[in-house]
């Protein structure tokens, strides 16, 4: 049955419940916290589908749940939302030896690390794709209808999780994803440490490279603010656009005038993404 859940907090919201839980992750070898929003429709005889939200650098489960404004429409649609943390944490989990914010704690990058000392704990890909959904589906009144979305580093994670796992998700979307991490400073720093210096092994964690051989053609919805300070140096949505065009992969990439990288941007367009996922999660 796995490790027990310990409730951290509970708040009623739009007729449903937002709750935070702590559990021991066998995949990551540490304690983890995640948040779940259960809409009012969820019950033992009425399991609801789930949108998994992956957050970005320095974030936790709390950023999306508190700032995105997603619960009102999720409650109306009857969709649960699960927000994991962004990396393993704890006294035994190594962070960045230089103390920087864009690697280590809060910056797991949703990969499975292969290099020491990271390989023991930094397996966020396995955690969000396999361990956490299994825990959610046996612990809450939800179905195995899953979708995935995320922001920045989490947008990268959402795209990679969907592209690498045909049939596992009904839909995918992203806000300002790190679209080509093998060719940007954030990605190069993380991948060289987590995965080692051989860049050939990085390709399986880069959405723009995965598109060429994607076995499933889930339509990609991506929103990007054109005033995002990380747009040209880190995010590189044009690489994703070009890769999708070359592969014939359906992509809706919306450049939103005047918007930055913040949760003000996410809150402005989250309803569009929820409806995008609802069309797939609630169909037939």
């Amino acid at each position: 049955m796995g490790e027990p859940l310990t409730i951290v907090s509970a708040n009623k919201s739009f007729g449903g419940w937002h709750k935070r839980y702590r559990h021991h992750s066998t995949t990551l070898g540490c304690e983890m916290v995640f948040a779940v929003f259960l809409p009012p429709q969820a019950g033992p005889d009425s399991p609801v589908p789930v949108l998994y939200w992956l957050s970005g650098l320095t974030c936790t489960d709390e950023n999306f749940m508190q700032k995105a404004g997603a619960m009102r429409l999720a409650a109306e649609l009857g969709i649960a939302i699960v927000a994991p943390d962004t990396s393993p944490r704890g006294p035994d989990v190594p962070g960045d030896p230089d103390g920087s914010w864009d690697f280590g704690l809060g910056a797991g990058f949703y990969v499975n690390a292969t290099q020491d000392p990271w390989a023991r704990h930094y397996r966020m890909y396995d955690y969000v794709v396999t361990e956490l959904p299994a825990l959610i589906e046996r612990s809450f009144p939800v179905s195995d209808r899953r979708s995935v979305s995320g922001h920045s580093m989490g947008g990268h994670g959402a795209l990679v999780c969907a592209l690498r796992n045909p049939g596992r998700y009904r839909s995918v979307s992203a806000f300002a994803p790190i679209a080509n991490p093998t060719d940007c400073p954030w990605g190069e720093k993380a991948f060289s440490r987590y995965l080692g210096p051989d860049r050939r092994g990085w390709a399986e964690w880069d959405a723009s490279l995965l598109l060429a051989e994607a076995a499933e053609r889930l339509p990609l919805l991506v929103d990007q603010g054109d005033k995002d300070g990380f747009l040209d140096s880190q995010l590189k949505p044009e690489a994703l656009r070009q890769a999708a065009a070359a592969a014939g992969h359906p992509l809706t990439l919306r450049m939103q005038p005047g918007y930055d990288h913040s949760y003000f941007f996410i809150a402005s367009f989250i309803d569009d993404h929820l409806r995008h996922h609802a069309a797939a999660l609630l169909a037939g």
Side-chain angles (χ1 to χ4, degrees), residues 40 79 161 229:
I79 295 174
C161 288

Side-chain angles (χ1 to χ4, degrees), residues 108-122:
F109 264 85
Y110 305 102
V111 301
N112 286 340
T114 59
Q115 305 298 301
D116 291 332
W118 323 108
R120 179 184 173 192
H121 296 288
Y122 283 81

Side-chain angles (χ1 to χ4, degrees), residues 21-63:
Y21 291 90
R22 180 179 292 108
H23 77 110
H24 179 80
S25 167
T26 55
T27 300
L28 303 177
C30 64
E31 294 290 309
M32 290 294 286
V33 173
F34 67 86
V36 57
F37 172 70
L38 290 172
Q41 298 89 334
D45 299 320
S46 56
V48 296
V50 183
L51 172 63
Y52 288 86
W53 174 269
L54 307 183
S55 290
L57 289 163
T58 75
C59 291
T60 69
D61 64 284
E62 295 183 281
N63 295 75

Side-chain angles (χ1 to χ4, degrees), residues 93-251:
V93 177
D96 189 328
D98 301 323
S100 63
W101 59 272
D102 57 358
F103 180 80
L105 303 181
F109 264 85
Y110 305 102
V111 301
N112 286 340
T114 59
Q115 305 298 301
D116 291 332
W118 323 108
R120 179 184 173 192
H121 296 288
Y122 283 81
R123 303 186 62 82
M124 286 298 295
Y125 173 80
D126 279 353
Y127 178 70
V128 300
V129 170
T130 303
E131 184 183 10
L132 183 61
L135 175 63
I136 296 296
E137 288 165 22
R138 70 172 177 261
S139 303
F140 301 99
V142 302
S143 70
D144 61 359
R145 292 186 170 218
R146 313 175 197 94
S147 291
V148 64
S149 186
H151 171 232
S152 194
M153 178 185 72
H156 139 75
L159 295 175
V160 166
C161 288
L163 290 168
R164 286 177 53 129
N165 293 277
R168 186 159 185 81
Y169 301 99
R170 300 295 181 99
S171 56
V172 58
S173 74
F175 288 82
I178 303 173
N180 192 196
T182 60
D183 189 31
C184 77
W186 280 342
E188 289 175 341
K189 178 177 182 177
F191 287 7
S192 64
R193 296 184 181 187
Y194 290 142
L195 305 174
D198 187 350
R199 298 176 72 98
R200 292 172 297 179
W202 299 5
E204 62 184 310
W205 306 104
D206 186 314
S208 293
L209 301 180
L210 289 170
L211 280 174
E213 298 181 0
E216 183 179 38
R217 299 297 183 184
L218 279 183
L220 309 181
L221 172 61
V222 175
D223 273 309
Q224 172 65 62
D226 72 355
K227 299 302 182 184
D228 189 321
F230 303 114
L231 177 58
D232 296 326
S233 62
Q234 302 283 11
L235 305 178
K236 302 195 172 183
E238 195 57 37
L240 190 70
R241 188 198 302 275
Q242 293 174 3
H249 196 109
L251 167 66

